[in-house]
Amino acid sequence: MNTTLILLLTFIVSVTGLFVFIWSLRHHLFDDNPEAANVIFNEGEIGRIEEPSATPAQQAALQKTVDATHAPIGDVASDARAKAELAARVQADQSTTWVTFVFLSCAIVWLIFASTAGLVSSIKLHEPDFLTQYAWMTFGRMRTLHLNAVAYGWAPMAAFGIALWTLPRLLKTPLIGGRFALLGAVLWNAALIAGLGSIAAGINDGLEWLEIPWQIDVLFVIGGALIGLPLVFTLQNRKVKHLYVSIWYMGAALFWFPILFLVGNLPSVHFGVEQATMNWWFGHNVLGLFYTPIALASIYYFLPKIIGRPIQSYNLSLLGFWALAFFYGQVGGHHLVGGPVPSWLITLSIVQSMMMIVPVLAFSVNQHLTMRHHFKTLIYSPTLRFIVLGGMMYTLSSVQGSFEALRAISTVTHFTHFTVAHAHLGLYGFFSLVMFGAIYFVMPRVMSWEWPYPRLIAAHFWLVVGGFAVYFIGLTIGGWLQGLAMLDATRPFIDSVRVTIPYLESRSVGGALMTLGHLVFAFHFVAMALRYGRKRVGPALFHKPRHAGPAVRTQEA
């Protein structure tokens, strides 16, 4: 296919989309849509903050901050409809308690394992003699163990747990089919244990993100299908007419991922150049069509819930969804720049990478406008700190990825640590931070228990954010210098290795801080699971008016 023709068609599509966007503005399609955006709130909730991970003092300050920019809403506790909606939500939360706890517990275990493997493999890059007495602890296997423990352990377990907890709330009905999800979790984790064991033993399929042998992948497919069944069953029994945008994102992610995984692991189908093309089609799409939609769905739910205000533009959120679905499919091809693949495929990938700026801007503008006048709430809301920062990292990661796809930039960054830094900006800086925030919101509802040591939440935040800053900045600078050294024909290749050593050491320092933050997080999670600290009285779903006493009533356990 002619490259010029592809560019021309893409230009026509882009200009057409621009005219549609202008037309929609003139017809007020991006104005507030209260009916759609308000569906996540029950009677009387708008104007009242909801932050279960905050202390009573933080909640009072959070409510005061919100009231300073909007007129407070009166007490509706005696309203019969509010009581009925509250009872329905309590029932929905109770239906997900055990399922959510199992998934999030598994996520914590895999987070600690993946962090340890990642730290060990990072140290090996500048200390190659570190832990070399066993074959399974060599860099090639440890790095692969780290990748797969994140990609199929921490990330999907957290994503499934948050999705299964959020769905009944969004659909205002109890979760149906939770036992299927639990059985799916058992099969999924069994497959992951077997897959990691195979990788440690030196048995793998040799494709990045797809190293686990396809015979084991069958269990992933079955387990994933079982986990997805509650979505179908619960949707069929929903009690809301309008499907909030978070449902769109979650439903699409749970539909897209099985297709990606199944196609990527079909045995005896992909060979040679086609195999490489498929490999990056899968590797990039699993990030953009599974992890990204789940995280965006979480932001669109938790952010407005915490500040008690609907998102600024509901239609803008839908634009972001459809643009993501339309433009992301072929983005992965830009990893093959310079490879023996058709030039039109690379060009198409670069164009779609640049067009991804559209959904990113749609989300970023929506988040900023929703948080406008409310940024002070970040001081008081532990959950909001993680979620808002994660949303900002999505903007940075996606814009960086779009420009990194350009040939002029890819020439320098390709095959360097710069790409590693970018990958972590998306999967850690964006996805993982959002999941941390969501877990801090969800667990008090799941356990009917407060986080026992609020200061550990702050410690966790600053450790992972500070550690990741050191990690990302060091690898970004080191990767760029590495690329410049490799492009200089007058310099030996070993120079491109030597120049990265100080930055690889900074990577290990940052990784150690992040791992310490994960250990703090895991300890706090276990402390809550063992019922240390303070017990909530009642569901703690509505906060009492400020004149009536503390925002949340508690008693000593």
Side-chain angles (χ1 to χ4, degrees):
M1 185 179 294
N2 188 283
T3 300
T4 305
L5 178 61
I6 295 175
L7 292 173
L8 180 61
L9 292 175
T10 304
F11 174 76
I12 294 173
V13 171
S14 302
V15 172
T16 304
L18 179 61
F19 278 110
V20 171
F21 181 70
I22 295 172
W23 175 86
S24 64
L25 288 177
R26 291 182 59 84
H27 288 77
H28 307 291
L29 295 183
F30 291 102
D31 291 349
D32 291 347
N33 188 340
E35 182 179 355
N38 293 355
V39 72
I40 64 173
F41 296 100
N42 283 347
E43 181 74 22
E45 278 194 317
I46 296 179
R48 301 206 180 279
I49 61 97
E50 183 177 353
E51 171 52 297
S53 62
T55 64
Q58 287 176 319
Q59 292 193 24
L62 187 60
Q63 185 67 63
K64 182 178 180 180
T65 302
V66 171
D67 290 345
T69 56
H70 297 84
I73 296 176
D75 183 14
V76 295
S78 60
D79 186 270
R81 187 166 55 177
K83 290 183 177 180
E85 290 179 342
L86 176 60
R89 179 181 292 176
V90 171
Q91 186 180 15
D93 284 354
Q94 290 175 343
S95 69
T96 62
T97 296
W98 180 239
V99 176
T100 302
F101 179 75
V102 169
F103 275 93
L104 295 185
S105 298
C106 294
I108 299 297
V109 172
W110 291 120
L111 175 65
I112 299 302
F113 177 86
S115 301
T116 304
L119 181 58
V120 170
S121 59
S122 177
I123 294 173
K124 285 176 174 290
L125 286 173
H126 54 86
E127 296 290 341
D129 293 330
F130 179 65
L131 297 179
T132 56
Q133 58 269 44
Y134 301 106
W136 70 272
M137 297 191 75
T138 56
F139 174 80
R141 298 189 191 180
M142 288 300 295
R143 190 267 178 186
T144 308
L145 289 172
H146 163 68
L147 172 62
N148 282 268
V150 171
Y152 302 110
W154 151 248
M157 288 293 102
F160 289 143
I162 297 302
L164 290 171
W165 183 87
T166 310
L167 282 171
R169 278 196 161 206
L170 292 169
L171 301 174
K172 298 188 177 181
T173 186
L175 182 71
I176 300 175
R179 293 182 179 179
F180 291 106
L182 288 174
L183 177 58
V186 171
L187 293 177
W188 186 285
N189 283 280
L192 184 55
I193 293 171
L196 295 179
S198 298
I199 292 171
I203 304 171
N204 72 75
D205 285 347
L207 292 174
E208 191 168 9
W209 291 89
L210 294 169
E211 290 93 349
I212 295 177
W214 69 265
Q215 294 87 346
I216 297 174
D217 290 332
V218 173
L219 287 179
F220 280 116
V221 173
I222 298 173
L226 290 172
I227 294 170
L229 285 179
L231 167 66
V232 178
F233 297 151
T234 308
L235 270 173
Q236 291 176 336
N237 291 272
R238 68 183 186 272
K239 297 178 182 177
V240 293
K241 293 182 179 179
H242 180 83
L243 294 180
Y244 187 65
V245 65
S246 294
I247 293 290
W248 290 49
Y249 276 112
M250 289 181 180
L254 296 177
F255 172 77
W256 284 329
F257 180 72
I259 296 176
L260 293 170
F261 192 79
L262 185 62
V263 172
N265 284 284
L266 287 174
S268 304
V269 174
H270 313 292
F271 299 97
V273 173
E274 292 179 359
Q275 187 181 61
T277 304
M278 179 281 303
N279 189 190
W280 280 112
W281 170 82
F282 173 84
H284 230 293
N285 282 350
V286 76
L287 289 170
L289 299 180
F290 178 57
Y291 301 133
T292 294
I294 292 291
L296 292 178
S298 301
I299 295 174
Y300 274 122
Y301 178 77
F302 292 111
L303 191 153
K305 286 291 289 181
I306 292 171
I307 64 175
R309 297 289 164 183
I311 57 175
Q312 180 68 23
S313 173
Y314 189 76
N315 290 307
L316 199 57
S317 69
L318 297 182
L319 172 67
F321 171 81
W322 286 111
L324 175 72
F326 184 75
F327 292 124
Y328 206 95
Q330 298 301 324
V331 166
H334 70 247
H335 283 275
L336 301 172
V337 172
V341 294
S343 60
W344 66 263
L345 180 63
I346 302 298
T347 301
L348 177 63
S349 176
I350 293 173
V351 171
Q352 289 206 331
S353 296
M354 294 304 296
M355 293 304 294
M356 273 300 297
I357 293 177
V358 174
V360 172
L361 286 182
F363 166 79
S364 303
V365 170
N366 216 3
Q367 175 179 257
H368 176 78
L369 293 178
T370 304
M371 283 297 296
R372 186 176 50 180
H373 307 308
H374 293 99
F375 281 100
K376 190 177 179 180
T377 57
L378 299 178
I379 300 174
Y380 310 110
S381 172
T383 300
L384 212 54
R385 293 175 203 159
F386 284 98
I387 287 180
V388 171
L389 181 58
M392 293 177 178
M393 293 301 102
Y394 171 62
T395 303
L396 178 60
S397 171
S398 298
V399 172
Q400 183 193 50
S402 294
F403 283 94
E404 192 178 344
L406 297 175
R407 287 183 172 89
I409 298 177
S410 180
T411 300
V412 179
T413 62
H414 210 34
F415 304 121
T416 70
H417 295 293
F418 188 99
T419 304
V420 178
H422 168 68
H424 282 77
L425 181 61
L427 191 51
Y428 191 88
F430 165 45
F431 176 82
S432 292
L433 288 187
V434 172
M435 290 298 105
F436 289 147
I439 291 171
Y440 277 123
F441 186 100
V442 166
M443 281 301 292
R445 300 289 188 248
V446 170
M447 303 297 298
S448 294
W449 207 269
E450 295 183 10
W451 288 100
Y453 310 112
R455 291 185 178 180
L456 292 184
I457 302 178
H460 173 213
F461 177 81
W462 290 113
L463 282 169
V464 298
V465 170
F468 182 69
V470 173
Y471 183 105
F472 175 76
I473 294 173
L475 274 193
T476 299
I477 297 173
W480 188 264
L481 295 176
Q482 179 188 16
L484 293 177
M486 287 195 293
L487 290 173
D488 189 346
T490 64
R491 301 174 64 180
F493 176 77
I494 195 63
D495 281 359
S496 68
V497 177
R498 292 195 185 101
V499 74
T500 64
I501 298 301
Y503 302 100
L504 293 176
E505 291 172 344
S506 72
R507 168 185 178 164
S508 295
V509 172
L513 290 174
M514 293 157 64
T515 302
L516 180 59
H518 299 161
L519 291 173
V520 170
F521 179 48
F523 169 80
H524 206 186
F525 186 94
V526 172
M528 171 179 271
L530 296 178
R531 300 299 179 97
Y532 287 102
R534 303 164 71 87
K535 181 178 185 294
R536 289 190 181 276
V537 177
L541 296 173
F542 285 104
H543 303 310
K544 299 177 68 176
R546 285 178 291 159
H547 63 268
V552 179
R553 295 183 297 129
T554 59
Q555 69 179 20
E556 293 296 336

